[in-house]
Amino acid sequence: MIFKDIRESLEYKKSRLDMLKSNMTFLESDSQFRHKFYTLEENIGGVSSCNISQSKYSLPLLFAALKYPDAKTCFFIELFNFYQNLDFNILYRSFSPAMTTYALQELSRKHLIDFKIDTRSYFLDLSDYGKILGNYNLFKNEKERIYLVYFYKLSSIKKEHLSTIISLAKIVGIDFSNIKVYLKNDIMYLGLEKRILLKRLLSLEYFKKLCQQRKIISDIVNEAKSYIFEDFNDYKRNFRL
């Protein structure tokens, strides 16, 4: 009887550890934690599409935002690079604020995407998306007007379209002189100029911003812990980061 109880206890603990290992594996592959922006396949009303979202639980996005001079520049560069890596011949769907929607319309005018916009009005609270970028006032209103958009990517943005990208940056108040353009596998990407990056990383403002983001970091860590230790309350009580 004693050996049976020991065996059952060991089997129970092993099953719990296996579940814990499985949860950690899923966490590692979960796009919301691994990526700054991500796509999720959905079927709405019989229409299949890939929904594009900015992650609210992305440590990579949060720490990337620290190096930028402002939240708009971070959003502009990171979203541009994300677009460049999107696949062709896939219907993408996004709830987009005015700035992003206008940019997509410009890409459509250049025949880089096949673009459609839903004529209905939507309002969403986007404050959490601004916070992870380091700007609590990026979306100033309690609820922002957003637009449901659909598009097919027809082409990546090329150097010949650089004037359009510079114009878009100027319209939303971004200093493009802080941005460098580079090629990777013949695809154009954006990044910060080295002088701006070094100045930012060595500034007191960088560390002040890191301290200001402690709550956001804590929220992301707690969300990850909740994800890992779902149904593991006994382990969760003993876990510390």
Side-chain angles (χ1 to χ4, degrees), residues 7 47 59 148 172 182 198 203 227 229 239:
R7 185 176 71 251
V47 178
L59 283 174
L148 176 57
V172 296
Y182 64 96
L198 287 174
S203 70
Y227 191 106
F229 292 104
F239 182 74

Side-chain angles (χ1 to χ4, degrees), residues 4 14 41 73 115 118 162 164 179 181 189 198 230 239:
K4 180 181 178 182
K14 182 179 182 301
E41 291 186 18
T73 302
F115 172 82
D118 193 306
L162 186 56
T164 298
I179 298 174
V181 178
Y189 293 95
L198 287 174
E230 184 179 8
F239 182 74

Side-chain angles (χ1 to χ4, degrees), residues 14 20 30 34 47 53 65 80 96 99 109 123 135 141-142 149 161 163 167 169 189 211 230 232-233:
K14 182 179 182 301
L20 178 62
D30 192 305
R34 291 184 62 231
V47 178
S53 296
F80 177 94
S96 299
M99 179 176 73
R109 292 188 185 99
F123 291 88
N135 187 338
N141 301 321
E142 183 176 346
V149 299
H161 306 115
S163 60
S167 176
Y189 293 95
C211 291
E230 184 179 8
F232 285 84
N233 292 330

